[in-house]
Amino acid sequence: MPPRAAPLSPEDRREALIRATRPLLYDHGRAVTTKLIAEAAGVAEGTIFRVFASKEELIDATVTRAFEPGDVLRRLDEIDVGLPLRERMLAMTSILQQRFLAIFGLMRAMGTVGPPQHLHDRPELKKGLEDVRARLLALIEPDADHLTLPPEQVLHVWRLLTFAGSHQEIADNDLLTPAQIVDTVLNGVERRDA
């Protein structure tokens, strides 16, 4: 029997269980057992059901959390806007590519090809994605005078290439590196006299 867990509030316990469950989903998908989750979280199996009605509810909460952009926003905020455009875009690409690879890997492990449908109805996730877009755009806009396309279009092309170049199936198992993505975009949009 695992050692008794330290007393946590129900919300803190939910968070701890979600954190423990996510890596297990990559290995086991929906077949993960509550026993494995409890062991990873260092709690008794019954503790799970004090804060989640079912294993499926815990899995759904874990998948939902994976789609929340909090970590991406924090990491984008750490990019120095004073860096040259290429360096900013390399950092942006690394951050988004890591997120895409994690999300795509999770979806693959879960046997799905897209996010759960109910995520499209969550206004806080929609706002989070809008915040990500705004931060990305703010990292490109300082160099607008050196681009042949408006920053919004550069962002659109860059995001499409980052998404496709980070998806194993779309990229035919030949993922693009951040440098390949950024150089492809910039060499197509950077003014020759810049």
Side-chain angles (χ1 to χ4, degrees):
M1 186 164 160
R4 186 163 175 83
L8 295 174
S9 70
E11 191 53 41
D12 288 343
R13 177 65 64 211
R14 286 176 63 87
E15 292 302 312
L17 288 165
I18 287 169
R19 279 193 308 274
T21 301
R22 186 168 175 183
L24 295 171
L25 293 180
Y26 286 96
D27 293 331
H28 304 281
R30 291 197 175 278
V32 67
T33 64
T34 53
K35 181 179 181 184
L36 282 172
I37 295 168
E39 287 173 1
V43 299
E45 215 171 332
T47 301
I48 294 169
F49 301 105
R50 289 191 206 127
V51 291
F52 290 100
S54 66
K55 178 183 89 167
E56 287 305 313
E57 183 182 308
L58 170 55
I59 289 173
D60 184 62
T62 304
V63 170
T64 298
R65 178 61 48 78
F67 281 88
E68 293 175 357
D71 185 54
V72 171
L73 291 168
R74 180 189 56 75
R75 292 179 66 202
L76 289 173
D77 286 342
E78 293 172 355
I79 298 174
D80 181 359
V81 75
L83 290 171
L85 177 61
R86 183 176 186 276
E87 299 306 310
R88 290 192 311 267
M89 290 187 73
L90 284 171
M92 293 162 44
T93 305
S94 294
I95 292 166
L96 250 62
Q97 192 168 51
Q98 289 167 17
R99 176 173 172 79
F100 288 149
L101 290 169
I103 293 290
F104 297 152
L106 181 61
M107 289 188 312
R108 198 173 297 109
M110 300 298 291
T112 62
V113 294
Q117 187 59 39
H118 69 84
L119 290 183
H120 300 290
D121 301 328
R122 294 192 55 191
E124 68 274 15
L125 287 180
K126 184 177 179 184
K127 182 183 181 324
L129 293 175
E130 290 168 358
D131 291 345
V132 167
R133 184 186 179 287
R135 282 174 174 80
L136 292 168
L137 190 56
L139 288 165
I140 294 173
E141 285 177 328
D143 284 83
D145 291 345
H146 302 287
L147 303 172
T148 60
L149 296 174
E152 295 83 5
Q153 282 186 280
V154 174
L155 178 62
H156 178 70
V157 170
W158 169 81
R159 285 179 72 177
L160 288 173
L161 190 55
T162 302
F163 180 91
S166 304
H167 193 287
Q168 286 182 347
E169 288 77 15
I170 295 172
D172 296 325
N173 289 318
D174 188 14
L175 301 181
L176 299 177
T177 67
Q180 288 172 315
I181 293 167
V182 171
D183 290 343
T184 299
V185 171
L186 287 182
N187 290 337
V189 299
E190 192 175 39
R191 287 187 180 166
R192 301 299 175 219
D193 59 353

